[in-house]
Amino acid sequence: MTSAGQRSGAGMRIALFSHRMAQRHPTGIGRYIRELVGALSDPEAGPGGDEILLASTREAESARWIPRAVRTHVVPWPRRPVQLAWCLGSGPQLERSIGKLDVAHLIQPFPPVKTSAPQVVTIHDLFPFEHPEWYRRSEQGTYRRSIALVLRRAQRIVVPSEYVAARVVTTLDVDPARVKAVALGVSGAFSHFRTDDEVRATCTRLGLTPGRFAISVGAVSARKNVIVLVRAAAQMHDERLPLVLVGPDGHGAK
């Protein structure tokens, strides 16, 4: 282990700043950060010689999924005050507690961390702009303020698809040269095939017939078009093809 401001080699010091890393059942952004960290910490696939630091504000619980090869850093300042300060464009620079950085990658626009290092930010969607009815006014204001700050600072904006890239360019009036679509990958955890006996046992436990069901994986949320899926399944009038929703309750689930 090295101290916060000490280099471990000739490579770059790259900080990934995440929000709410201790989620027990991550979906969306939570899954994105886990897969990204896992890939970067893989000595065969990750950036050899670079030091990856996973930074965050304080949380009530500690994240237990982080690979041992990845250094973690919790900023010492109280969570809500520092996030508020960052949203106002002030507050301490990340380097005050983590040391000199070569790159800071904000995994999402909130909180708009203040840092002197070149910034990369991932914008996953523009839902607060496109569907304000899904959010409280305070959430809309926080998101818009965060977006304004990260767009002012970020040298590169990463998005998950060409669709989101086009929306960022047109909705936020961003130079297309700053936006890079990086498609989401699928980790090896999802490519492990189960035996026929395991499949049958699981289906029996859930009251299903192997190969005769439709499945949706992710947060059960109105924001994920689950309502459309449920309505489509209801119109099939086929009890032999049940719809299985796998994931925690999200917005509008109840």
Side-chain angles (χ1 to χ4, degrees):
M1 286 292 182
T2 58
S3 62
Q6 184 180 13
R7 290 183 181 276
S8 60
M12 297 191 300
R13 292 188 84 229
I14 303 170
L16 305 178
F17 198 98
S18 182
H19 177 51
R20 294 179 180 173
M21 293 195 301
Q23 289 177 306
R24 295 186 178 183
H25 305 289
T27 62
I29 297 174
R31 174 55 58 186
Y32 175 81
I33 179 61
R34 294 191 185 202
E35 299 299 340
L36 180 61
V37 170
L40 291 176
S41 63
D42 184 346
E44 296 184 1
D50 293 339
E51 181 183 6
I52 306 298
L53 302 101
L54 184 56
S56 68
T57 50
R58 297 176 184 173
E59 296 185 67
E61 300 181 16
S62 59
R64 300 182 179 181
W65 57 268
I66 302 172
R68 295 183 63 182
V70 176
R71 288 189 57 207
T72 59
H73 179 81
V74 178
V75 297
W77 313 297
R79 180 185 182 90
R80 290 188 177 180
V82 73
Q83 288 180 346
L84 175 60
W86 281 336
C87 284
L88 294 175
S90 59
Q93 287 192 345
L94 183 59
E95 285 84 352
R96 279 184 53 184
S97 67
I98 203 172
K100 187 180 185 326
L101 295 170
D102 294 296
V103 177
H105 183 175
L106 309 190
I107 301 303
Q108 60 198 100
F110 178 84
V113 180
K114 193 174 181 182
T115 171
S116 60
Q119 283 194 22
V120 176
V121 62
T122 297
I123 297 179
H124 301 267
D125 56 61
L126 294 180
F127 286 168
F129 288 87
E130 299 170 338
H131 296 281
E133 70 277 9
W134 291 347
Y135 302 87
R136 298 189 298 269
R137 287 188 178 182
S138 59
E139 293 176 321
Q140 294 178 42
T142 297
Y143 187 85
R144 288 175 180 270
R145 180 63 179 169
S146 298
I147 283 286
L149 287 169
V150 297
L151 290 183
R152 185 189 309 167
R153 299 166 177 166
Q155 296 188 10
R156 184 57 62 94
I157 300 162
V158 176
V159 295
S161 67
E162 294 292 348
Y163 172 80
V164 178
R167 298 300 297 155
V168 167
V169 169
T170 57
T171 304
L172 305 179
D173 192 24
V174 175
D175 181 355
R178 296 176 60 200
V179 183
K180 177 66 175 179
V182 180
L184 302 179
V186 180
S187 74
F190 296 94
S191 61
H192 176 67
F193 291 95
R194 301 294 180 179
T195 65
D196 291 342
D197 289 340
E198 290 175 316
V199 171
R200 280 193 295 269
T202 300
C203 287
T204 299
R205 178 167 55 85
L206 298 176
L208 301 170
T209 300
R212 291 295 305 169
F213 60 89
I215 187 169
S216 172
V217 180
V220 182
S221 168
R223 300 173 184 174
K224 308 295 184 183
N225 269 350
V226 173
I227 293 176
V228 174
L229 186 61
V230 171
R231 288 174 178 170
Q235 293 176 8
M236 293 180 65
H237 304 294
D238 188 350
E239 296 181 356
R240 296 174 300 171
L241 190 66
L243 171 63
V244 181
L245 304 179
V246 180
D249 286 348
H251 178 81
K254 296 181 179 179

